[in-house]
Amino acid sequence: MSRALGTLALVGLAMGLVLGFLVAPRELTQGNVQRIMYVHVPAILVAYLAFGVVLIASIVYLVRRVDAADRIAHASAEVGLLYTGINIATGAIWGKPTWGTWWTWDARLTSVSIMFLMYLGYLLLREMVEDRERSARFAAVVGIIAALNMPLVHFSVYWWRTLHQPPSILRPGASALPRVFWMVVLVNVVAFALLYAYFVMKRTRVLAYEAEALA
Amino acid sequence: MADNSGFVVAAYAVTAICLAGYWRFLRRREKNFRQRSPRR
């Protein structure tokens, strides 16, 4: 199952590359650098999904005390953090030629960084508390609180005046993108989501082995 | 506007390195546990 998911993700990523570089045209105002969007946007959309899974799994753990839910939350937070890191790094690389700076304390960039630090803290907390049951309980509480930051990240571009543009995909009404750009983003979102599922499956299995070894 | 292809290559390279690095980390961890307990 995980091998099939991994293969599908790889095929999706290859398709995304072909579509992004060979099918999607060069954007009129930004030129080639706009192609960074095809990894920058899917990375944050799937990170939202990952942190949503952390929220649900954390609630399930607190209510039912199921170890599997705790492992899914842990794995999903790790992969979500990886995707958020990719989003921040590719955003900085995109920012330099378009905004003239790698970084600015704009509301979107700042709120994404806070989200990154919150989930980094979530993972550090898991390592710091030795007792497994307590660590899982504390992490579940942090996993729920950290999710509250997600709407702040998404709506920051509406609530404050920002250098970052408003959302192109998750927005009221039709997408702001021409159909061909939108299709490439969609293919990459699916590929990134499949890869997320593959990583979470593998990481959950490793966490189960670790728990067995410690028992 | 300038071509800026170097920035595009850098962004895709960073993404590939991060994803491949994490995949490698998971593969190694799993392999270590499998070696310790061959029943899996």
Side-chain angles (χ1 to χ4, degrees):
Chain A
M1 174 71 179
S2 74
R3 190 177 285 256
L5 259 179
T7 311
L8 270 176
L10 213 60
V11 171
L13 289 173
M15 269 178 69
L17 272 178
V18 170
L19 291 173
F21 283 92
L22 302 178
V23 176
R26 194 172 187 276
E27 207 261 348
L28 203 62
T29 47
Q30 290 191 36
N32 265 332
V33 81
Q34 173 273 337
R35 295 183 206 276
I36 295 175
M37 184 183 73
Y38 305 135
V39 287
H40 178 75
V41 174
I44 197 63
L45 292 182
V46 181
Y48 286 161
L49 167 77
F51 298 143
V53 169
V54 175
L55 169 70
I56 294 166
S58 299
I59 294 170
V60 170
Y61 179 77
L62 285 181
V63 175
R64 296 267 169 96
R65 299 292 153 135
V66 187
D67 285 343
D70 175 54
R71 286 196 286 271
I72 289 171
H74 185 165
S76 193
E78 210 172 271
V79 183
L81 188 72
L82 175 78
Y83 279 28
T84 309
I86 289 173
N87 173 264
I88 293 172
T90 54
I93 295 169
W94 194 0
K96 182 64 183 166
T98 49
W99 297 342
T101 180
W102 299 100
W103 184 262
T104 175
W105 292 105
D106 154 289
R108 170 58 74 80
L109 276 68
T110 308
S111 56
V112 167
S113 306
I114 292 170
M115 184 166 82
F116 181 86
L117 291 175
M118 281 177 110
Y119 285 95
L120 184 66
Y122 169 93
L123 292 173
L124 290 176
L125 175 76
R126 285 185 167 277
E127 297 303 315
M128 278 166 59
V129 182
E130 277 188 25
D131 179 67
R132 270 188 49 221
E133 200 276 327
R134 279 183 76 202
S135 151
R137 193 156 30 97
F138 291 173
V141 174
V142 176
I144 294 167
I145 295 169
L148 299 176
N149 192 35
M150 267 195 292
L152 188 80
V153 173
H154 189 70
F155 293 107
S156 58
V157 284
Y158 293 119
W159 294 341
W160 291 281
R161 190 185 301 178
T162 60
L163 191 55
H164 194 286
Q165 67 181 70
S168 307
I169 307 261
L170 288 182
R171 57 184 252 139
S175 163
L177 296 174
R179 185 181 287 252
V180 65
F181 293 167
W182 187 86
M183 283 302 292
V184 183
V185 172
L186 187 69
V187 167
N188 274 334
V189 168
V190 172
F192 273 53
L194 287 169
L195 193 64
Y196 156 79
Y198 169 73
F199 281 160
V200 167
M201 208 176 254
K202 258 186 132 43
R203 185 65 176 124
T204 308
R205 201 183 308 149
V206 170
L207 287 167
Y209 291 160
E210 283 174 4
E212 253 179 66
L214 286 171
Chain B
M1 184 169 232
D3 196 39
N4 289 317
S5 296
F7 288 98
V8 183
V9 172
Y12 277 78
V14 164
T15 305
I17 289 167
C18 290
L19 296 177
Y22 188 66
W23 173 75
R24 201 156 166 246
F25 157 78
L26 290 181
R27 200 161 161 250
R28 274 195 181 175
R29 284 296 266 275
E30 199 172 24
K31 205 173 155 194
N32 282 347
F33 280 106
R34 278 179 197 270
Q35 275 170 352
R36 268 190 237 169
S37 165
R39 281 175 299 137
R40 289 184 180 116

